[in-house]
Amino acid sequence: MERAEKEEADINNLERLPEGCISDILSLTTPADVCRSSLVSTLFKSAADSDALWEKFLPADYQEIISRALHPFSSAAVPKKDLYYRLCDEPLLIDDGFKSFQLEKSSGKKCIMIGAKEVDNPSWHWLAHPGSRFPTVVVLQRVSRFEICGKLDARLLSPKTLYAAYLEERHLYLILDGGGGQHFAQERGDGWMEVEMGYFYYEGLEDNEDGQVHMSVLETEGLIARCGLIVQGIEVRPKVDTQILL
């Protein structure tokens, strides 16, 4: 009985805190923690939905990124929680539509995809694809040397984050002596496949620093002819599997 009374007293004390104080406390957690907490949903709903809280979950430069959108929109009148989930659920095309920006829903970390137009593959064939977020993709017709390279301004990434780069693709076939082909990579759930190119830890940059992340996939043997690969781009997003750090 004493324990139940103590818990009730603790809750009553929490309810007396100003909303701004509660918002500051919740901002020390994550968007996922806020949304799944039963205590938040019952006692602190106003603070949990407040612009003050969700502004802190949004990247510091979110307004500058939105201003670079292919189809800019005003975020001033949009509740910050709604804006957060819009940027999670709807990839935003930026930089003349050559890149897309998105937030990782559980953490608010930035995800960037470099469209095929900014990937170094000059000998490939361009076409429009109805399943792509970008206006055009590239198609590998038939080459014996496979090479894809891309680079990204590091300031588009979230500091102190472990990232992985993924090649976004469809239909890779290996042509061997006239035989059939085989797929590689993993299904994404959106009609595309991906293969992890590698991972890196981004610490961040000072205000007066510049930096780029360079990514490449190279096949050096050049003994097998390849065709049928459609490349949407290279996505850089937070890496969930942290076992590599142990």
Side-chain angles (χ1 to χ4, degrees), residues 37-49:
S37 170
S38 59
L39 184 65
V40 165
S41 63
T42 56
L43 297 180
F44 305 141
K45 182 168 177 54
S46 178
D49 291 339

mmCIF file with all atom_site columns, all heavy atoms in Angstrom, residues 37-49:
data_model
loop_
_atom_site.group_PDB
_atom_site.id
_atom_site.type_symbol
_atom_site.label_atom_id
_atom_site.label_alt_id
_atom_site.label_comp_id
_atom_site.label_asym_id
_atom_site.label_entity_id
_atom_site.label_seq_id
_atom_site.pdbx_PDB_ins_code
_atom_site.Cartn_x
_atom_site.Cartn_y
_atom_site.Cartn_z
_atom_site.occupancy
_atom_site.B_iso_or_equiv
_atom_site.pdbx_formal_charge
_atom_site.auth_seq_id
_atom_site.auth_comp_id
_atom_site.auth_asym_id
_atom_site.auth_atom_id
_atom_site.pdbx_PDB_model_num
ATOM 1  N N   . SER A 1 37 ? 5.534  5.638  -24.706 1.00 0.00 ? 37 SER A N   1
ATOM 2  C CA  . SER A 1 37 ? 5.441  5.721  -23.253 1.00 0.00 ? 37 SER A CA  1
ATOM 3  C C   . SER A 1 37 ? 3.997  5.894  -22.805 1.00 0.00 ? 37 SER A C   1
ATOM 4  O O   . SER A 1 37 ? 3.328  6.846  -23.179 1.00 0.00 ? 37 SER A O   1
ATOM 5  C CB  . SER A 1 37 ? 6.284  6.891  -22.734 1.00 0.00 ? 37 SER A CB  1
ATOM 6  O OG  . SER A 1 37 ? 6.027  7.122  -21.375 1.00 0.00 ? 37 SER A OG  1
ATOM 7  N N   . SER A 1 38 ? 3.497  4.977  -21.987 1.00 0.00 ? 38 SER A N   1
ATOM 8  C CA  . SER A 1 38 ? 2.128  5.086  -21.485 1.00 0.00 ? 38 SER A CA  1
ATOM 9  C C   . SER A 1 38 ? 1.989  6.263  -20.531 1.00 0.00 ? 38 SER A C   1
ATOM 10 O O   . SER A 1 38 ? 0.942  6.896  -20.448 1.00 0.00 ? 38 SER A O   1
ATOM 11 C CB  . SER A 1 38 ? 1.729  3.789  -20.767 1.00 0.00 ? 38 SER A CB  1
ATOM 12 O OG  . SER A 1 38 ? 2.612  3.520  -19.681 1.00 0.00 ? 38 SER A OG  1
ATOM 13 N N   . LEU A 1 39 ? 3.068  6.588  -19.802 1.00 0.00 ? 39 LEU A N   1
ATOM 14 C CA  . LEU A 1 39 ? 3.023  7.725  -18.886 1.00 0.00 ? 39 LEU A CA  1
ATOM 15 C C   . LEU A 1 39 ? 2.848  9.017  -19.673 1.00 0.00 ? 39 LEU A C   1
ATOM 16 O O   . LEU A 1 39 ? 2.064  9.891  -19.307 1.00 0.00 ? 39 LEU A O   1
ATOM 17 C CB  . LEU A 1 39 ? 4.313  7.779  -18.058 1.00 0.00 ? 39 LEU A CB  1
ATOM 18 C CG  . LEU A 1 39 ? 4.394  8.860  -16.969 1.00 0.00 ? 39 LEU A CG  1
ATOM 19 C CD1 . LEU A 1 39 ? 3.338  8.585  -15.905 1.00 0.00 ? 39 LEU A CD1 1
ATOM 20 C CD2 . LEU A 1 39 ? 5.785  8.900  -16.349 1.00 0.00 ? 39 LEU A CD2 1
ATOM 21 N N   . VAL A 1 40 ? 3.564  9.130  -20.794 1.00 0.00 ? 40 VAL A N   1
ATOM 22 C CA  . VAL A 1 40 ? 3.441  10.314 -21.634 1.00 0.00 ? 40 VAL A CA  1
ATOM 23 C C   . VAL A 1 40 ? 2.037  10.445 -22.175 1.00 0.00 ? 40 VAL A C   1
ATOM 24 O O   . VAL A 1 40 ? 1.431  11.523 -22.169 1.00 0.00 ? 40 VAL A O   1
ATOM 25 C CB  . VAL A 1 40 ? 4.465  10.250 -22.789 1.00 0.00 ? 40 VAL A CB  1
ATOM 26 C CG1 . VAL A 1 40 ? 4.114  11.277 -23.860 1.00 0.00 ? 40 VAL A CG1 1
ATOM 27 C CG2 . VAL A 1 40 ? 5.864  10.504 -22.261 1.00 0.00 ? 40 VAL A CG2 1
ATOM 28 N N   . SER A 1 41 ? 1.475  9.334  -22.640 1.00 0.00 ? 41 SER A N   1
ATOM 29 C CA  . SER A 1 41 ? 0.163  9.389  -23.284 1.00 0.00 ? 41 SER A CA  1
ATOM 30 C C   . SER A 1 41 ? -0.941 9.779  -22.311 1.00 0.00 ? 41 SER A C   1
ATOM 31 O O   . SER A 1 41 ? -1.949 10.359 -22.707 1.00 0.00 ? 41 SER A O   1
ATOM 32 C CB  . SER A 1 41 ? -0.160 8.037  -23.923 1.00 0.00 ? 41 SER A CB  1
ATOM 33 O OG  . SER A 1 41 ? -0.252 7.037  -22.936 1.00 0.00 ? 41 SER A OG  1
ATOM 34 N N   . THR A 1 42 ? -0.768 9.477  -21.014 1.00 0.00 ? 42 THR A N   1
ATOM 35 C CA  . THR A 1 42 ? -1.837 9.771  -20.062 1.00 0.00 ? 42 THR A CA  1
ATOM 36 C C   . THR A 1 42 ? -1.636 11.085 -19.320 1.00 0.00 ? 42 THR A C   1
ATOM 37 O O   . THR A 1 42 ? -2.592 11.817 -19.078 1.00 0.00 ? 42 THR A O   1
ATOM 38 C CB  . THR A 1 42 ? -1.936 8.634  -19.024 1.00 0.00 ? 42 THR A CB  1
ATOM 39 O OG1 . THR A 1 42 ? -0.660 8.448  -18.387 1.00 0.00 ? 42 THR A OG1 1
ATOM 40 C CG2 . THR A 1 42 ? -2.369 7.344  -19.682 1.00 0.00 ? 42 THR A CG2 1
ATOM 41 N N   . LEU A 1 43 ? -0.407 11.412 -18.949 1.00 0.00 ? 43 LEU A N   1
ATOM 42 C CA  . LEU A 1 43 ? -0.172 12.589 -18.114 1.00 0.00 ? 43 LEU A CA  1
ATOM 43 C C   . LEU A 1 43 ? 0.343  13.796 -18.882 1.00 0.00 ? 43 LEU A C   1
ATOM 44 O O   . LEU A 1 43 ? 0.006  14.926 -18.565 1.00 0.00 ? 43 LEU A O   1
ATOM 45 C CB  . LEU A 1 43 ? 0.844  12.246 -17.010 1.00 0.00 ? 43 LEU A CB  1
ATOM 46 C CG  . LEU A 1 43 ? 0.430  11.186 -16.003 1.00 0.00 ? 43 LEU A CG  1
ATOM 47 C CD1 . LEU A 1 43 ? 1.545  10.969 -14.992 1.00 0.00 ? 43 LEU A CD1 1
ATOM 48 C CD2 . LEU A 1 43 ? -0.848 11.605 -15.292 1.00 0.00 ? 43 LEU A CD2 1
ATOM 49 N N   . PHE A 1 44 ? 1.188  13.550 -19.864 1.00 0.00 ? 44 PHE A N   1
ATOM 50 C CA  . PHE A 1 44 ? 1.920  14.642 -20.477 1.00 0.00 ? 44 PHE A CA  1
ATOM 51 C C   . PHE A 1 44 ? 1.596  14.793 -21.962 1.00 0.00 ? 44 PHE A C   1
ATOM 52 O O   . PHE A 1 44 ? 2.444  15.184 -22.753 1.00 0.00 ? 44 PHE A O   1
ATOM 53 C CB  . PHE A 1 44 ? 3.433  14.423 -20.324 1.00 0.00 ? 44 PHE A CB  1
ATOM 54 C CG  . PHE A 1 44 ? 3.871  14.232 -18.914 1.00 0.00 ? 44 PHE A CG  1
ATOM 55 C CD1 . PHE A 1 44 ? 4.854  13.311 -18.604 1.00 0.00 ? 44 PHE A CD1 1
ATOM 56 C CD2 . PHE A 1 44 ? 3.301  14.969 -17.888 1.00 0.00 ? 44 PHE A CD2 1
ATOM 57 C CE1 . PHE A 1 44 ? 5.267  13.130 -17.293 1.00 0.00 ? 44 PHE A CE1 1
ATOM 58 C CE2 . PHE A 1 44 ? 3.707  14.803 -16.579 1.00 0.00 ? 44 PHE A CE2 1
ATOM 59 C CZ  . PHE A 1 44 ? 4.693  13.878 -16.282 1.00 0.00 ? 44 PHE A CZ  1
ATOM 60 N N   . LYS A 1 45 ? 0.389  14.472 -22.350 1.00 0.00 ? 45 LYS A N   1
ATOM 61 C CA  . LYS A 1 45 ? 0.050  14.494 -23.776 1.00 0.00 ? 45 LYS A CA  1
ATOM 62 C C   . LYS A 1 45 ? 0.289  15.864 -24.393 1.00 0.00 ? 45 LYS A C   1
ATOM 63 O O   . LYS A 1 45 ? 0.781  15.982 -25.507 1.00 0.00 ? 45 LYS A O   1
ATOM 64 C CB  . LYS A 1 45 ? -1.400 14.063 -23.988 1.00 0.00 ? 45 LYS A CB  1
ATOM 65 C CG  . LYS A 1 45 ? -1.794 14.017 -25.473 1.00 0.00 ? 45 LYS A CG  1
ATOM 66 C CD  . LYS A 1 45 ? -3.101 13.324 -25.684 1.00 0.00 ? 45 LYS A CD  1
ATOM 67 C CE  . LYS A 1 45 ? -3.512 13.359 -27.156 1.00 0.00 ? 45 LYS A CE  1
ATOM 68 N NZ  . LYS A 1 45 ? -2.467 12.824 -28.037 1.00 0.00 ? 45 LYS A NZ  1
ATOM 69 N N   . SER A 1 46 ? -0.080 16.915 -23.680 1.00 0.00 ? 46 SER A N   1
ATOM 70 C CA  . SER A 1 46 ? 0.100  18.256 -24.214 1.00 0.00 ? 46 SER A CA  1
ATOM 71 C C   . SER A 1 46 ? 1.573  18.543 -24.486 1.00 0.00 ? 46 SER A C   1
ATOM 72 O O   . SER A 1 46 ? 1.934  19.043 -25.560 1.00 0.00 ? 46 SER A O   1
ATOM 73 C CB  . SER A 1 46 ? -0.462 19.283 -23.230 1.00 0.00 ? 46 SER A CB  1
ATOM 74 O OG  . SER A 1 46 ? -0.255 20.593 -23.715 1.00 0.00 ? 46 SER A OG  1
ATOM 75 N N   . ALA A 1 47 ? 2.436  18.222 -23.520 1.00 0.00 ? 47 ALA A N   1
ATOM 76 C CA  . ALA A 1 47 ? 3.873  18.437 -23.709 1.00 0.00 ? 47 ALA A CA  1
ATOM 77 C C   . ALA A 1 47 ? 4.435  17.520 -24.779 1.00 0.00 ? 47 ALA A C   1
ATOM 78 O O   . ALA A 1 47 ? 5.314  17.904 -25.557 1.00 0.00 ? 47 ALA A O   1
ATOM 79 C CB  . ALA A 1 47 ? 4.611  18.223 -22.385 1.00 0.00 ? 47 ALA A CB  1
ATOM 80 N N   . ALA A 1 48 ? 3.936  16.267 -24.826 1.00 0.00 ? 48 ALA A N   1
ATOM 81 C CA  . ALA A 1 48 ? 4.450  15.295 -25.790 1.00 0.00 ? 48 ALA A CA  1
ATOM 82 C C   . ALA A 1 48 ? 4.096  15.651 -27.226 1.00 0.00 ? 48 ALA A C   1
ATOM 83 O O   . ALA A 1 48 ? 4.759  15.191 -28.157 1.00 0.00 ? 48 ALA A O   1
ATOM 84 C CB  . ALA A 1 48 ? 3.916  13.902 -25.459 1.00 0.00 ? 48 ALA A CB  1
ATOM 85 N N   . ASP A 1 49 ? 3.054  16.450 -27.403 1.00 0.00 ? 49 ASP A N   1
ATOM 86 C CA  . ASP A 1 49 ? 2.656  16.870 -28.747 1.00 0.00 ? 49 ASP A CA  1
ATOM 87 C C   . ASP A 1 49 ? 3.091  18.293 -29.060 1.00 0.00 ? 49 ASP A C   1
ATOM 88 O O   . ASP A 1 49 ? 2.787  18.809 -30.140 1.00 0.00 ? 49 ASP A O   1
ATOM 89 C CB  . ASP A 1 49 ? 1.130  16.784 -28.893 1.00 0.00 ? 49 ASP A CB  1
ATOM 90 C CG  . ASP A 1 49 ? 0.630  15.344 -28.900 1.00 0.00 ? 49 ASP A CG  1
ATOM 91 O OD1 . ASP A 1 49 ? 1.439  14.445 -29.191 1.00 0.00 ? 49 ASP A OD1 1
ATOM 92 O OD2 . ASP A 1 49 ? -0.558 15.129 -28.614 1.00 0.00 ? 49 ASP A OD2 1
#
